[in-house]
Amino acid sequence: VGGAVRLYFIGGSNVAWQTWPDQLHMYLLELGFAVPHENYTQPNLHFASDVAPRCDDEAEFDSLRTPRVAHPAWGSWSFAFDSEDDCAAAPFRGQAPGDYPFRTIAGHAVSCLSGWGCKPFAPEAQDRVRPAAVAQDARHADVVLLSNWVNDFKQQFCGYRCFNG
């Protein structure tokens, strides 16, 4: 056992708010692996947010710098496109009347906005990263974990606004 394992996590709320990336980091260290800190260029969190569940062994995570490119409420589309060229204004069936950008994927409208419920005026509406930038950033990582299931799955709780209702 030994060697270096470079980690890179990208995703939504479960990457931003939960400690499982830190637990994996800690387990690798306990197994004798080095987990070097890389200088990534994408917006990065180094520890789960303050609203993450508190574990009994959380103090063991204090010295870890586990790289995350994550935002609460991101859906898979928040980090899936390099361009917005295929986004077209369409009447929005959500809480803010008006026309907002959607793209068509397999015959379905998908919002070009980010954040919980794809609210046009929410501060996180424009928070996205481009896959090419993520790929460039993660190219030296040994393990890249992409996790987006949680927010894609929960669209029924916001009336499917991200799919234009």
Side-chain angles (χ1 to χ4, degrees):
V1 181
V5 178
R6 292 177 301 271
L7 300 173
Y8 193 90
F9 296 95
I10 182 166
S13 303
N14 69 332
V15 174
W17 287 353
Q18 295 180 7
T19 59
W20 64 266
D22 305 295
Q23 291 170 347
L24 175 60
H25 187 163
M26 182 181 70
Y27 294 149
L28 287 168
L29 292 173
E30 288 175 353
L31 288 170
F33 290 93
V35 183
H37 173 72
E38 300 291 325
N39 291 319
Y40 296 116
T41 62
Q42 291 303 301
N44 219 308
L45 304 170
H46 292 290
F47 188 73
S49 79
D50 290 338
V51 296
R54 300 292 178 207
C55 301
D56 292 340
D57 60 356
E58 184 179 319
E60 296 178 36
F61 302 155
D62 287 345
S63 64
L64 303 179
R65 292 180 51 84
T66 307
R68 291 170 169 81
V69 177
H71 287 279
W74 262 3
S76 58
W77 54 90
S78 300
F79 46 86
F81 297 93
D82 278 318
S83 166
E84 286 150 13
D85 290 347
D86 62 339
C87 294
F92 187 54
R93 297 182 196 143
Q95 296 175 335
D99 290 347
Y100 297 99
F102 287 86
R103 62 173 41 97
T104 301
I105 301 172
H108 301 281
V110 177
S111 181
C112 295
L113 303 174
S114 294
W116 179 249
C118 300
K119 298 173 189 163
F121 300 108
E124 67 275 4
Q126 302 302 321
D127 285 345
R128 287 182 292 285
V129 296
R130 308 290 182 218
V134 170
Q136 183 72 15
D137 223 16
R139 73 184 186 275
H140 298 296
D142 299 303
V143 176
V144 177
L145 279 158
L146 170 66
S147 176
N148 65 306
W149 173 81
V150 172
N151 293 324
D152 287 3
F153 171 72
K154 291 186 174 187
Q155 288 302 310
Q156 73 267 22
F157 299 115
C158 64
Y160 297 96
R161 285 191 301 258
C162 295
F163 306 122
N164 212 9

